[in-house]
Amino acid sequence: MTQPPLRATIIPVTSLQQNCTLFWCTATMKAAVVDPGGDLPRIKAAIAEAGVSVEKILLTHAHADHCAEAGVLAKEVGVPIEGPHEADRYWLARLENDCRQWGLRGEAFEPTRWLDDGDTVSVGDLTLDVYLTPGHTPGHVVFHHPPSRLAIVGDVLFQGSVGRTDFPLSDSNALVTSVVTKLWPMGDETVFLPGHGPASTIGHERQSNPFVGDAVLAGR
């Protein structure tokens, strides 16, 4: 049986049950850690269990539950941090205060590379497309691997819900636009891994999501 080019596992971390994702290139066993918000021993155990070598850290956005310990992990493993978009500087600037407020561990950091719409990120032999998807935060990005029909979408879209837009710099209209113009074109069969909760498919959410489903948006 042929190995798929990409494999992934979700590691729920922090008291907010944020989905840190570890994914890797099966040809090279090079991996990326997406959104290491905390619980580094749990993340490291998953890395060891998968038998992979971490090549970089990727961030969908700069809320503390998604990135609080990114800088710590990057230093420990000796890898770069890529993402999110620079519009999330606002959230990185207040990271340590937000960690105290939410009872999270973490420290300030600067990404090695900011990402923008149309960029790509590489992990081993894999190339993932980057889309800027503002709304939940202004600099939110998602990662898409078309050959695997897989996307890692942070807090843009959930099974049966969408990301909150009651934070500073959030924009509910921008969030809907991001979903419709960036996520829906990925195709109904695409599986997405959200920042919280279970995975779903684009097709399922278009049919049933009470916030951005096709029938809901047609009636706006």
Side-chain angles (χ1 to χ4, degrees):
M1 187 173 176
T2 305
Q3 273 269 58
L6 181 156
R7 294 192 65 190
T9 186
I10 289 176
I11 311 148
V13 297
T14 80
S15 59
L16 300 173
Q17 289 294 285
Q18 190 275 120
N19 288 337
C20 172
T21 298
L22 173 70
F23 76 86
W24 62 94
C25 166
T26 57
T28 64
M29 298 303 281
K30 298 289 187 181
V33 178
V34 185
D35 291 355
D39 295 327
L40 293 190
R42 188 178 300 169
I43 295 172
K44 291 176 181 176
I47 293 167
E49 183 177 346
V52 296
S53 173
V54 175
E55 193 172 59
K56 62 185 60 175
I57 293 167
L58 301 176
L59 299 177
T60 62
H61 65 294
H63 281 165
D65 58 326
H66 289 256
C67 73
E69 292 206 81
V72 179
L73 183 61
K75 283 192 291 189
E76 289 185 5
V77 184
V79 298
I81 300 172
E82 299 187 7
H85 184 277
E86 196 168 4
D88 266 14
R89 273 192 182 277
Y90 168 87
W91 288 103
L92 285 182
R94 51 183 281 174
L95 179 63
E96 291 183 337
N97 285 336
D98 287 345
C99 283
R100 284 191 289 271
Q101 179 182 341
W102 290 98
L104 303 175
R105 298 176 57 181
E107 63 180 48
F109 66 92
E110 175 90 0
T112 314
R113 175 192 176 200
W114 298 104
L115 296 174
D116 203 351
D117 197 62
D119 284 347
T120 60
V121 294
S122 62
V123 178
D125 292 343
L126 304 172
T127 299
L128 285 80
D129 297 325
V130 177
Y131 302 129
L132 177 61
T133 51
H136 180 65
T137 70
H140 198 298
V141 298
V142 303
F143 305 101
H144 182 213
H145 188 243
S148 299
R149 294 177 178 171
L150 180 75
I152 301 169
V153 304
D155 286 0
V156 175
L157 183 67
F158 304 119
Q159 184 186 87
S161 189
V162 293
R164 288 172 57 180
T165 55
D166 56 344
F167 294 113
L169 305 185
S170 293
D171 183 329
S172 58
N173 289 329
L175 182 76
V176 172
T177 299
S178 292
V179 169
V180 172
T181 64
K182 301 296 174 62
L183 271 57
W184 287 175
M186 294 177 182
D188 286 354
E189 294 182 5
T190 295
V191 173
F192 68 89
L193 308 182
H196 302 266
S200 185
T201 66
I202 296 297
H204 180 76
E205 300 310 312
R206 291 191 70 164
Q207 287 183 346
S208 63
N209 192 290
F211 298 94
V212 288
D214 291 352
V216 176
L217 295 184
R220 287 180 59 159

